[in-house]
Amino acid sequence: MAPTAADRSGTPAIPLSAYAHLLTIYIVWGGAYLAVKICISGPAAITVPQLQSTRMWGAALLIGAVALARTRRVPHLTRRDIALCTATGLLMWVGGNGLATLASRHATSSFIVMAMGAIPLWSCLLELVIARTLPARRVVLGLVLGLAGLFLVVAPTLIGTGAAIIEPGYAGLTVVLLIGAGMSWSLGTIVQRPLMKRMRPEWAATLQLLTAALVLSVVAAGEHAPLPDMPSTRQWLAFGFLIVFASVIGLTSYIRVIGAFSPVIASTFAYVNPIIGVLLGWILLGEEIAPVSLLGLGIVLASIAIVLSGRR
């Protein structure tokens, strides 16, 4: 039998299932903030802490069950492991995802997913600050272009022409929340890198989600909000999507993707998620999108391509 191209090059062929996992994170993470918007804007009045704490508990238990089924044992944890899981769980799921969900209270899902599409740029900027290194010209160009694009994304709200995008009176707060969310998630992903070398990603994700669930449960209890009425069928479906698909299946697929593809390919979800999120918000919720925001989104995506082009 003649050798395949993969055999001749010495590089193992990427299995078809890996491409399925890549497609999965494109779709499920692209629709995550649409599901959030449906949950918190339905007939049942669900607060953000109630939604997030319940979601984190459900996701932690499910992904923990998956991790136990695969490894058949609970890992031995050092104090450093626990500290890293706690810190990254707070940064990514309370700070990053939590602030973005809070911003969803007053903004369209399309706007949220466009703003969060700048996460790779925040990650690159934070890495440069932490490493105290001078960036290459390509990186400087990408960062400047990306920040300019992000400004165009949020411009309609800052100049008072985005009433259909963000509730009047909440533009400044929403932009601050989204910048904080992007930077917090980015910092969490940087901090967790040593953790990924010390323990299986499934167990790390379980402990991170458990940390977030505990903290958010305290916040939910502290707000003294009444329990919501029976959610609508649409809200139940959106909530199930957040737990099963956006959290468990999305995280599991991403673990498979980073193991099968180069970092550049694995990072392409940053290009695709905003596009899918914008399309879903427009099709399913009829959300309006300012042309200048779409122009900004295109510039952000181009800047991410520039920043990632030199990575392997």
Side-chain angles (χ1 to χ4, degrees), residues 84-101:
L84 279 174
C85 286
T86 300
T88 53
L90 292 174
L91 285 169
M92 297 173 68
W93 294 107
V94 178
N97 190 263
L99 290 177
T101 301

Side-chain angles (χ1 to χ4, degrees), residues 16-272:
L16 187 60
S17 61
Y19 290 96
H21 286 298
L22 187 63
L23 180 61
T24 296
I25 62 173
Y26 283 171
I27 296 173
V28 301
W29 281 358
Y33 289 108
L34 174 73
V36 165
K37 190 65 179 178
I38 292 173
C39 284
I40 62 179
S41 61
I46 302 172
T47 69
V48 170
Q50 286 173 342
L51 171 64
Q52 287 296 93
S53 59
T54 309
R55 174 190 174 186
M56 294 301 115
W57 279 116
L61 293 175
L62 278 176
I63 203 166
V66 170
L68 187 60
R70 285 179 175 167
T71 63
R72 300 189 181 278
R73 65 183 182 87
V74 177
H76 173 72
L77 299 173
T78 65
R79 290 183 180 179
R80 184 164 185 249
D81 294 334
I82 295 173
L84 279 174
C85 286
T86 300
T88 53
L90 292 174
L91 285 169
M92 297 173 68
W93 294 107
V94 178
N97 190 263
L99 290 177
T101 301
L102 188 60
S104 300
R105 209 49 168 156
H106 307 292
T108 62
S109 65
S110 301
F111 181 76
I112 300 296
V113 76
M114 282 193 293
M116 295 300 283
I119 281 179
L121 301 180
W122 294 125
S123 297
C124 181
L125 188 61
L126 287 171
E127 285 178 336
L128 292 172
V129 172
I130 293 171
R132 298 181 182 179
T133 58
L134 294 175
R137 291 181 181 179
R138 168 186 48 78
V139 174
V140 172
L141 173 62
L143 288 173
V144 172
L145 195 63
L147 293 175
L150 183 60
F151 174 79
L152 291 178
V153 167
V154 303
T157 67
L158 296 179
I159 62 179
T161 61
I165 301 171
I166 296 182
E167 285 183 46
Y170 291 96
L173 174 63
T174 300
V175 171
V176 170
L177 287 174
L178 289 172
I179 291 175
M183 295 189 72
S184 184
W185 182 275
S186 300
L187 182 58
T189 58
I190 294 171
V191 172
Q192 78 169 353
R193 286 175 184 167
L195 190 64
M196 295 297 104
K197 298 176 182 178
R198 297 167 60 86
M199 61 191 301
R200 289 183 65 93
E202 295 95 332
W203 281 117
T206 299
L207 294 175
Q208 289 167 338
L209 291 167
L210 281 174
T211 298
L214 287 168
V215 172
L216 290 167
S217 294
V218 172
V219 174
E223 69 176 349
H224 301 294
L227 293 176
D229 296 329
M230 179 60 67
S232 66
T233 301
R234 198 180 191 194
Q235 284 178 297
W236 276 120
L237 290 173
F239 182 67
F241 177 89
L242 285 174
I243 292 179
V244 177
F245 289 91
S247 298
V248 178
I249 293 178
L251 279 172
T252 303
S253 289
Y254 187 61
I255 290 168
R256 296 291 176 266
V257 166
I258 60 179
F261 295 98
S262 70
V264 171
I265 300 299
S267 298
T268 54
F269 75 90
Y271 309 93
V272 181

